[in-house]
């Protein structure tokens, strides 16, 4: 069986037998691939670097459905994200979303590149000691991007019921729209809605499909923590409705912003 070169991000790994690991790799060309990494749990193994949040170049081979890693090269490790709870939780939540959106070996064009971009932005939060709200904003915006790439984009431009354009009148504090996860966003405060947004929150949400994080003229992040937490709740509700379960890591992210938790 000819050997194959693969490049991708380690999304998860778990023990396999006594000394091996079972690795799940997100590859731009192959989608989500499961690989056996022989001896990776042995001390001083040359394959021990097969760890989550690591970008690898792999040489794989073998017969059957479960190929084996022969050699690996670490292209980049995102291990620094573990230095802060909010950056690690944000990264793990985005990885969870990637795993849910690419369940098999059917690649989703652009998803790996966007996920890597979000991880690099989270590394900047750690390296430059930015405020914790930056990690929260990256988790929300990154989710918006990944959902769109995976075919589950939030419908942000028109009312799901009337078809009327969603044009939030910023500054009009009595205006509301509601999230009905099975339908989308509906103008007005709808009884039984999962959550309700004001005009400023919707305007911020509508900016998130763009490349850059929304910022004020002075460079500060646009929107306070509580608004970003509200948008995270919207992401969780949409995710739960369309992917069957809510992200576990985002619960941990949210917990870091509970009252009494110190800001960093």
């Amino acid at each position: 069986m000819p050997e194959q070169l693969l490049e991708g991000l380690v999304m998860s790994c778990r023990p396999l037998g006594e000394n091996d690991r079972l690795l799940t790799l997100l590859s731009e060309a192959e989608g989500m691939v499961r690989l056996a990494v022989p001896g990776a749990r042995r001390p001083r193994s040359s394959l021990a670097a097969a760890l989550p949040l690591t970008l690898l170049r792999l040489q794989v081979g073998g017969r059957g459905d479960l190929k084996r890693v022969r050699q690996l090269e670490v292209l980049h490790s995102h291990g620094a994200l573990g230095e802060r709870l909010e950056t690690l939780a944000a990264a793990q939540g985005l990885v969870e979303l990637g795993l849910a959106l690419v369940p098999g070996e059917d690649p989703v064009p652009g998803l790996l590149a966007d996920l890597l971009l979000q991880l690099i932005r989270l590394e900047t939060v750690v390296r430059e000691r930015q405020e914790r709200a930056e990690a929260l904003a990256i988790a929300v915006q990154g989710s918006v991007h990944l959902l769109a790439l995976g075919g589950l984009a939030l419908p942000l431009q028109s009312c799901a019921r009337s078809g009327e354009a969603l044009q939030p009148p910023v500054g009009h504090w009595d205006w509301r729209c509601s999230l009905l996860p099975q339908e989308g966003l509906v103008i007005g405060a709808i009884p039984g809605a999962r959550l309700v947004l004001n005009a400023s929150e919707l305007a911020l949400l509508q900016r998130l499909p763009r490349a850059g994080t929304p910022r004020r003229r002075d460079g500060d992040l646009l929107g306070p923590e509580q608004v970003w937490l509200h948008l995270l709740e919207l992401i969780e509700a949409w995710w739960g409705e369309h992917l069957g379960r809510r992200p576990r890591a985002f619960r941990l992210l949210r917990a870091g912003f509970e009252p009494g938790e110190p800001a960093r």
Side-chain angles (χ1 to χ4, degrees), residues 196-233:
V196 178
L197 301 179
N198 62 35
S200 294
E201 289 170 330
L202 178 59
L204 179 58
L205 181 62
Q206 288 177 327
R207 294 180 62 170
L208 297 187
R210 304 177 190 177
T213 307
R215 297 194 175 276
R216 306 181 195 276
R217 289 183 179 179
D218 61 5
D220 288 344
L221 183 67
L222 190 63
E225 283 184 2
Q226 289 305 313
V227 167
W228 287 105
L229 284 169
H230 201 199
L231 297 183
L232 182 67
E233 184 181 357

Side-chain angles (χ1 to χ4, degrees), residues 92-110:
Q92 289 177 334
L94 293 172
V95 164
E96 277 189 69
L97 182 53
L99 285 166
L101 291 170
V102 192
E105 297 183 2
D106 294 325
V108 176

